[in-house]
């Protein structure tokens, strides 16, 4: 029996089905193929019952799932995993992503000969299969695929062609592949891109390429339309791959490809970062202090993959380093219970979704900055945060920063608020280590040393002359910077269309 792994679990359920879907599930959900095979649509799976011999030559089926030695063979295929169905002179072919082991899927197919008198019923049933298999997800997506050939320790292109390309092709996606050649190349490509030619831009890389893509869209004269119309997605080909973990719940390229095929257009808050006279967009996070140092200060050991961050963190922790700065925040809420209530209210609300065609308010360039830039006077209603002994400043727009690192559990895609964590640098080494171990356990949020705020904007001015500031994992000049969030400015493809694939804060 073919079952679905957690990483490729079905997303369709009868609660999400339309009235016509319910009618489908109640009436005419079964297709009889010949005298011995039935294909039945369930709420979240396709049930195949074959009463013929288990031998492949007698079944006329190109893939044998289970042979019991009896005269009845049955198995199920998750509707979420169904990629395509086709009726041709060769018969009915159902193509799907078959779970191979815990973290991978691969293309498989079932094929049955269809008699002339069965063709009409088979055509109707096949259309219904695709309707329930895709639900609200767009079929046959037009994808611009950008590959960073230096990602994945230099294996990103091979990983894409081996694990992702077959899934996308089997779902009949229209694919245009291009490799980037230098830093900032993705921004240059996207800046010249015809936004009407593609439904999504898929990056096979780490989080650096999506950062460039968002900023390429932001440079267009019609930036708001471009950011609303073209979704951004990630196939994990780097060391962190936070975007994939948040939107797809996996670090597997093949499972992420399936999630992109079935992905729902989802509005995403984006953050404007101003430094000097520059303005860029951030989709993931901004950090100053030990997190930025542990990330950007370990570029020379990228061969270690994600472990380089742990090494860098422990090395700096031993020195009890502090990062003095001037910090002010436009705080909306700083009570942890209020933040939990906010998350729960959002989680229980109806998803807003993102229409394919932009609305009237999504015309023109980037939205105006409500709070000005870092060069303007500090707004008087901002809260000044004591930061002479700051150990870590971390502003998050997504929940998961890397595998097993759900740093911002109360973060949601489209509430118009960023989550800011500050920790004092004089916190003992033992407690700091405890914080890091509590992140994957879900206890980090409630630790008293962890200050969490939901905010609209902030300004941070370093007091030292040298150091690191990270925006979406990319190094930016070590100077004053300001962040301001824009509700639903960007668009991504996600599994849920509503929440990140992360556990929320504990009750």
């Amino acid at each position: 029996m073919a079952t679905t792994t957690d990483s490729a679990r079905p997303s369709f359920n009868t609660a999400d089905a339309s009235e016509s879907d319910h009618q489908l599930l109640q009436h005419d959900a079964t297709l009889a193929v010949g005298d011995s095979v039935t294909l039945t649509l369930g709420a979240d799976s396709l049930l195949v019952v074959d009463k013929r011999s288990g031998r492949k030559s007698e079944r006329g089926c190109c893939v044998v799932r289970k042979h019991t030695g009896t005269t009845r063979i049955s198995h199920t295929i998750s509707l979420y995993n169904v990629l395509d169905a086709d009726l041709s002179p060769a018969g009915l072919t159902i193509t799907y992503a078959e779970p191979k082991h815990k973290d991978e899927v691969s293309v498989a197919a079932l094929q049955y000969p269809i008699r002339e008198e069965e063709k009409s019923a088979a055509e109707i049933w096949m259309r219904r299969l695709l309707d329930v298999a895709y639900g609200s997800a767009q079929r046959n997506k037009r994808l611009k695929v950008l590959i960073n050939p230096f990602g994945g320790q230099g294996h990103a292109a091979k990983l894409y062609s081996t694990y992702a390309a077959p899934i996308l092709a089997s779902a009949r996606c229209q694919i245009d592949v291009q490799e980037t050649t230098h830093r900032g190349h993705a921004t240059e490509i996207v800046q010249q891109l015809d936004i009407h030619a593609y439904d999504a831009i898929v990056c096979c890389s780490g989080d650096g390429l999506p950062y460039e893509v968002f900023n390429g869209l932001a440079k267009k004269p019609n930036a708001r339309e471009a950011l609303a119309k073209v979704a951004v997605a990630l196939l994990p080909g780097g060391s962190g791959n936070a975007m994939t973990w948040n939107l797809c719940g996996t670090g597997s390229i093949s499972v992420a490809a399936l999630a992109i095929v079935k992905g729902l257009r989802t509005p995403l808050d984006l953050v404007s970062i101003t430094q000097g006279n520059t303005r860029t967009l951030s989709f993931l996070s901004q950090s100053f202090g030990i997190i930025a140092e542990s990330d950007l200060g370990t570029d020379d050991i990228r061969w270690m993959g994600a472990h380089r961050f742990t090494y860098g963190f422990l090395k700096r922790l031993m020195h009890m380093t502090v990062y003095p700065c001037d910090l002010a925040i436009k705080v909306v809420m700083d009570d942890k219970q209020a933040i939990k209530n906010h998350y729960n209210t959002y989680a229980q609300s109806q998803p807003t979704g993102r229409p394919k065609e932009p609305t009237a308010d999504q015309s023109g360039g980037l939205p105006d900055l409500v709070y000005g830039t870092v060069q303007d006077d500090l707004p008087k209603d901002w809260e000044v945060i004591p930061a002479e002994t700051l150990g870590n400043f971390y502003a998050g727009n997504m929940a998961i920063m890397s595998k097993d690192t759900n740093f911002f559990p109360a973060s949601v895609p489209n509430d118009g608020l960023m989550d800011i964590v500050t920790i004092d640098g004089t916190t003992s080494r033992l407690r700091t280590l405890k914080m890091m171990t509590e992140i994957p356990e879900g206890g980090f949020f409630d630790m008293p040393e962890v200050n969490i705020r939901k905010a609209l904007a902030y300004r941070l001015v370093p007091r030292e002359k040298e150091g690191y500031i990270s925006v979406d994992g990319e190094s930016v000049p070590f100077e004053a910077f300001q962040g301001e969030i824009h509700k639903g400015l960007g668009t991504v493809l996600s599994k849920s269309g509503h929440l990140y694939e992360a556990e929320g804060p504990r009750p």
Side-chain angles (χ1 to χ4, degrees):
M1 180 177 293
T3 57
T4 303
T5 64
D6 287 342
S7 58
R9 65 184 184 275
S11 62
F12 177 84
N13 56 66
T14 53
D16 297 328
S18 65
E19 182 179 350
S20 61
D21 290 332
H22 281 299
Q23 293 173 350
L24 163 64
L25 299 176
Q26 295 169 9
H27 305 288
D28 302 323
T30 298
L31 174 68
V33 181
D35 300 322
S36 305
V37 177
T38 58
L39 307 172
T40 302
L41 297 175
D44 58 7
S45 62
L46 167 63
L47 174 65
V48 180
V49 177
D50 193 336
K51 300 177 183 178
R52 296 171 297 172
S53 166
R55 288 182 295 174
K56 181 177 178 181
S57 61
E58 297 181 21
R59 293 180 62 203
C61 172
C62 63
V63 178
V64 179
R65 293 287 145 249
K66 184 176 181 182
H67 176 39
T68 63
T70 67
T71 59
R72 186 180 184 88
I73 298 171
S74 65
H75 64 277
T76 59
I77 300 170
S78 165
L79 289 173
Y80 178 81
N81 289 44
V82 172
L83 300 171
D84 191 35
D86 181 59
L87 195 60
S88 69
L92 173 64
T93 302
I94 301 170
T95 309
Y96 62 101
E98 179 188 25
K100 301 301 291 183
H101 49 79
K102 182 181 178 182
D103 295 317
E104 295 296 342
V105 293
S106 63
V107 177
L110 298 174
Q111 188 175 84
Y112 300 97
I114 299 294
R115 296 187 295 222
E116 187 63 33
E117 62 270 22
E118 297 172 334
K119 286 185 177 179
S120 177
E123 179 73 33
I124 294 171
W125 183 91
M126 181 186 72
R127 289 199 298 267
R128 290 170 173 170
L129 166 64
L130 291 174
D131 285 344
V132 293
Y134 277 83
S136 300
Q138 179 188 352
R139 301 184 210 171
N140 313 132
K141 295 181 176 76
R142 301 168 301 163
L143 305 177
K144 176 70 175 183
V145 178
L146 299 177
I147 301 175
N148 175 8
F150 306 105
Q153 298 179 351
H155 303 300
K158 183 176 181 181
L159 291 171
Y160 170 78
S161 62
T162 303
Y163 297 104
I167 301 288
L168 301 178
S170 295
R172 300 197 192 190
C173 294
Q174 300 174 44
I175 305 168
D176 175 14
V177 180
Q178 185 172 354
E179 290 191 3
T180 59
T181 59
H182 55 272
R183 186 185 180 93
H185 191 196
T187 297
E188 297 167 8
I189 293 170
V190 173
Q191 193 174 353
Q192 303 302 320
L193 200 71
D194 178 5
I195 64 170
H196 301 289
Y198 301 98
D199 301 306
I201 301 171
V202 178
C203 305
C204 186
S205 65
D207 295 303
L209 230 55
Y211 169 75
E212 292 188 18
V213 167
F214 279 118
N215 281 286
L217 294 171
K219 288 179 180 295
K220 287 181 169 293
N222 58 339
R224 268 181 283 187
E225 178 187 8
L227 288 162
K229 187 174 183 61
V230 183
V232 181
L234 178 67
L235 291 167
S239 56
N241 309 311
M243 181 181 241
T244 308
W245 284 107
N246 281 284
L247 302 178
C248 306
T250 183
S252 159
I253 288 188
S254 61
V255 175
L258 174 61
I260 289 170
V261 165
K262 295 300 181 76
L264 302 173
R265 290 172 52 83
T266 307
L268 179 73
D269 299 340
L270 296 176
V271 177
S272 278
I273 304 296
T274 62
Q275 279 192 306
N277 295 317
T278 67
R279 177 184 181 182
T280 58
L281 291 183
S282 168
F283 76 93
L284 178 61
S285 66
Q286 308 94 52
S287 62
F288 168 85
I290 194 169
I291 296 292
E293 294 267 349
S294 302
D295 184 10
L296 300 176
T298 56
D299 263 359
D300 57 327
I301 53 172
R302 277 191 174 270
W303 55 268
M304 291 181 66
H307 297 297
R308 70 183 175 88
F309 175 85
T310 303
Y311 169 81
F313 179 83
L314 293 174
K315 179 180 177 181
R316 285 156 179 79
L317 178 62
M318 292 304 102
H319 292 88
M320 291 283 291
T321 309
V322 296
Y323 304 86
C325 65
D326 296 315
L327 177 62
I329 303 175
K330 175 62 175 175
V331 178
V332 174
M333 61 186 79
D334 57 7
D335 176 76
K336 290 184 179 180
Q337 188 57 53
I339 292 173
K340 291 179 181 182
N341 294 342
H342 172 83
Y343 175 87
N344 291 330
T345 299
Y346 183 98
Q348 294 164 15
S349 66
Q350 288 295 317
T352 55
R354 172 73 88 197
K356 282 191 65 177
E357 295 304 320
T359 57
D361 63 342
Q362 291 167 341
S363 60
L366 290 176
D368 293 336
L369 293 168
V370 175
Y371 302 103
T373 76
V374 71
Q375 296 179 319
D376 295 320
D377 291 338
L378 186 70
K380 296 186 182 301
D381 61 342
W382 287 23
E383 181 179 342
V384 176
I385 310 297
E388 292 81 5
T389 59
L390 182 74
N392 188 39
F393 170 91
Y394 212 172
N397 197 40
M398 288 187 169
I400 303 170
M401 294 297 108
S402 62
K403 182 181 180 182
D404 299 324
T405 311
N406 184 8
F407 205 95
F408 302 99
S411 180
V412 293
N414 184 35
D415 66 344
L417 298 171
M418 65 181 89
D419 292 34
I420 298 178
V421 169
T422 56
I423 301 171
D424 193 275
T426 62
T427 304
S428 71
R429 295 185 183 95
L430 187 61
R431 289 298 290 174
T432 304
L433 283 172
K434 177 69 172 174
M435 289 180 201
M436 299 308 292
T437 59
E438 283 295 319
I439 291 173
E441 300 299 324
F444 174 79
F445 184 97
D446 291 306
M447 294 184 71
E449 298 88 351
V450 177
N451 301 295
I452 300 178
R453 301 170 177 88
K454 287 274 188 181
L456 293 168
Y458 67 85
R459 179 180 298 179
L460 190 151
V461 183
R463 293 187 183 177
E464 303 290 337
K465 293 184 178 180
E466 295 182 350
Y468 293 97
I469 297 170
S470 171
V471 175
D472 295 356
E474 301 296 306
S475 180
V476 301
F478 192 73
E479 60 186 52
F481 65 104
Q482 182 163 310
E484 176 182 323
I485 198 159
H486 309 286
K487 187 177 188 298
L489 179 62
T491 307
V492 291
L493 296 175
S494 73
K495 285 188 70 173
S496 74
H498 188 44
L499 293 171
Y500 294 128
E501 299 296 310
E503 292 292 332
R506 291 175 178 176

